[in-house]
Amino acid sequence: MIHERTLQEPHGMSHPITQPLRPLTDAERSELTRISHAPSERLNRHQRAVALLAIEAGKNLTDAAKAAG
């Protein structure tokens, strides 16, 4: 699954990131799901897990960041 990602430039212009995320393995997906639901995880780990799962689900970087908080 290839996702187009963009990198924000200082003046609001963006360009596509050329290296898409690789598909997650079942083990990675399972661990990210566990982290995203675990109340004992650090906030930054939780946010990263939520963002990666959102990107894999087809959301763009902006929407993934919003989902992660």
Side-chain angles (χ1 to χ4, degrees), residues 13-14 24 28 30 44 58-59 62 69:
M13 298 174 67
S14 62
L24 297 174
E28 290 169 332
S30 177
N44 65 329
K59 295 189 184 254
T62 302

Side-chain angles (χ1 to χ4, degrees), residues 5-53:
R5 300 181 294 166
T6 59
L7 187 67
Q8 197 68 23
E9 293 288 331
H11 298 289
M13 298 174 67
S14 62
H15 64 278
I17 293 177
T18 57
Q19 295 182 336
L21 291 179
R22 65 170 173 74
L24 297 174
T25 65
D26 289 340
E28 290 169 332
R29 188 177 304 101
S30 177
E31 181 65 7
L32 289 170
T33 300
R34 183 196 68 74
I35 291 169
S36 71
H37 291 109
S40 61
E41 284 292 341
R42 292 188 325 262
L43 180 60
N44 65 329
R45 284 179 51 93
H46 167 80
Q47 290 173 323
R48 182 173 290 131
V50 169
L52 288 171
L53 290 169

